[in-house]
Amino acid sequence: MQKPKAREARGVRPGGRTARNRDAVFRAVRELMAEQATQQVAIADVAARSGVHPTTIYRRWKTPEALALDVAMAGLSQRSPMPDTGTLRGDLLAFATRIAASISRPDGLAFLRTVVAASGEVELLRGRRDEIQAMLDRAPKHHLRSDDVFDGLLAPIYLRVLFGFGPPKPPRLAQLVERLIAAGDR
Amino acid sequence: MQKPKAREARGVRPGGRTARNRDAVFRAVRELMAEQATQQVAIADVAARSGVHPTTIYRRWKTPEALALDVAMAGLSQRSPMPDTGTLRGDLLAFATRIAASISRPDGLAFLRTVVAASGEVELLRGRRDEIQAMLDRAPKHHLRSDDVFDGLLAPIYLRVLFGFGPPKPPRLAQLVERLIAAGDR
């Protein structure tokens, strides 16, 4: 298992043009979404606002939906970073608790609806999956994979919110974590 | 635990006017949806087609979204009835397998999108919850509730399909069932 590069672990971005373009495009998307009160922005507008050539944007993101989803994913990672509490149980519970809180805010629900609307573009979820896997790889003695965290923890939280129930309450989140850890012993 | 009435168990509907109205309204909704290739039908059109007074329809369903969801739920129950295999493990696996198959068809995905669009109307999911609870109540020696089946089995299936991954494959479904049963021992 390869460790993340040290400078990434310290939260410092690689400083290349690709990263600068990405930051400029994301900032433009967020500004336009806020100004236009929409989840859907035109790539021509993003290009004009960011100063990044439209061809560059199309080459990287292909569709406005994929771009919106990538922006939403980045926002989720910022609002709800992966915890590092020292134990797998603590990490999972902190992660679930933060997800449940952030996904219940209006922009969290907008994120879920964006993901659903963009389904087919789900390769963009891979970044989050890699973050989850890195959290699991730190912990000893279990057989959990990121799919198990998705199915056992994220799916109930996301689906309850999508269906309008609101997220699971803290005791239920703790129970879901215990069941997930027990499943990882097998 | 009260048993279902014998005539309901044989699939014969109670013959009151309420049930007849419901059948006529559902049939009208399905016909209009098919003809108009939409998930959204106007209650005035449903009233005209079914011969049921619009006031009666509004009193019972309140909104077109709630009516569409109720029709979708009834369709799901028909396409994917609760199994009765003689064991909890067999019931859960058969249930999960049928859900995974039916929800992956285009009309299954339309059902999920209807539920998401109508969130806030989720009291209509209670019928399904009652069916799941009845399946659990038949089985001895476990502590599972319908919420556990929702979180541990339906949520991963539904969310994977909504996110465009496609449903879990049979070995994964079997694993989810084993984990759910193990969780019900605690």
Side-chain angles (χ1 to χ4, degrees):
Chain A
M1 185 66 203
Q2 199 180 342
K3 287 195 175 187
K5 293 184 193 74
R7 64 176 179 180
E8 287 180 7
R10 290 200 310 273
V12 181
R13 290 230 166 107
R17 188 172 60 173
T18 304
R20 281 198 307 276
N21 279 348
R22 177 181 179 278
D23 290 348
V25 166
F26 277 21
R27 193 162 46 239
V29 170
R30 291 198 185 101
E31 287 173 10
L32 291 166
M33 281 183 174
E35 288 167 20
Q36 301 173 2
T38 176
Q39 293 295 311
Q40 198 72 294
V41 294
I43 285 188
D45 293 346
V46 174
R49 175 71 60 105
S50 65
V52 176
H53 200 279
T55 313
T56 307
I57 301 178
Y58 276 114
R59 195 186 313 122
R60 175 141 179 204
W61 284 283
K62 313 271 190 310
T63 67
E65 291 76 19
L67 175 56
L69 182 58
D70 209 6
V71 171
M73 283 303 303
L76 187 71
S77 291
Q78 281 181 351
R79 284 197 309 275
S80 184
M82 302 306 294
D84 189 357
T85 65
T87 68
L88 180 60
R89 178 175 278 104
D91 284 355
L92 290 171
L93 189 58
F95 181 49
T97 303
R98 282 186 210 172
I99 291 272
S102 69
I103 213 68
S104 305
R105 302 188 327 203
D107 58 337
L109 187 56
F111 157 74
L112 274 185
R113 291 189 191 277
T114 300
V115 174
V116 170
S119 57
E121 310 282 355
V122 283
E123 72 275 14
L124 290 166
L125 289 170
R126 281 205 192 126
R128 192 63 161 172
R129 173 171 299 203
D130 291 346
E131 291 177 0
I132 295 172
Q133 190 62 52
M135 179 177 75
L136 294 174
D137 288 336
R138 278 200 308 260
K141 287 192 227 163
H142 67 84
H143 301 97
L144 292 175
R145 296 171 308 137
S146 57
D147 272 0
D148 298 321
V149 176
F150 183 86
D151 286 345
L153 214 47
L154 301 191
I157 297 172
Y158 284 1
L159 205 72
R160 281 168 178 267
V161 172
L162 269 178
F163 278 13
F165 295 118
K169 302 226 173 348
R172 180 65 174 178
L173 289 176
Q175 188 178 36
L176 291 172
V177 167
E178 292 307 317
R179 289 179 174 183
L180 185 58
I181 287 178
D185 290 338
R186 283 190 294 278
Chain B
M1 183 67 201
Q2 199 179 341
K3 287 195 174 187
K5 292 186 193 72
R7 64 177 179 180
E8 287 179 9
R10 289 200 311 271
V12 181
R13 292 230 166 107
R17 188 171 61 176
T18 304
R20 282 199 307 276
N21 279 349
R22 177 181 179 278
D23 290 348
V25 166
F26 278 22
R27 193 163 46 239
V29 169
R30 290 197 185 102
E31 288 173 9
L32 290 166
M33 281 182 174
E35 289 167 20
Q36 301 173 1
T38 176
Q39 294 293 311
Q40 198 72 292
V41 292
I43 285 188
D45 294 346
V46 174
R49 175 71 60 106
S50 65
V52 177
H53 199 279
T55 313
T56 306
I57 301 178
Y58 277 114
R59 195 186 312 123
R60 177 142 178 202
W61 284 283
K62 311 271 187 313
T63 67
E65 291 77 19
L67 175 56
L69 181 58
D70 209 5
V71 171
M73 283 303 303
L76 187 71
S77 291
Q78 281 181 351
R79 285 197 308 276
S80 183
M82 302 306 295
D84 188 358
T85 66
T87 68
L88 179 61
R89 177 175 278 104
D91 285 355
L92 289 171
L93 188 58
F95 181 50
T97 303
R98 284 186 210 171
I99 292 274
S102 69
I103 213 69
S104 305
R105 301 190 326 207
D107 58 337
L109 187 55
F111 157 75
L112 273 186
R113 291 189 191 278
T114 301
V115 174
V116 170
S119 57
E121 310 282 353
V122 283
E123 72 276 15
L124 291 165
L125 290 169
R126 282 204 192 127
R128 192 63 160 173
R129 174 171 297 203
D130 291 346
E131 291 177 0
I132 294 171
Q133 190 61 52
M135 179 177 76
L136 294 174
D137 287 337
R138 280 200 307 258
K141 288 191 224 163
H142 67 83
H143 300 96
L144 293 175
R145 297 171 306 137
S146 58
D147 272 0
D148 299 320
V149 176
F150 184 87
D151 286 345
L153 214 48
L154 301 191
I157 297 172
Y158 284 0
L159 205 72
R160 280 167 179 267
V161 172
L162 269 178
F163 278 15
F165 294 118
K169 302 226 172 350
R172 180 63 173 178
L173 289 177
Q175 188 178 36
L176 291 173
V177 166
E178 291 308 317
R179 288 178 174 185
L180 185 58
I181 288 178
D185 290 339
R186 285 190 294 279

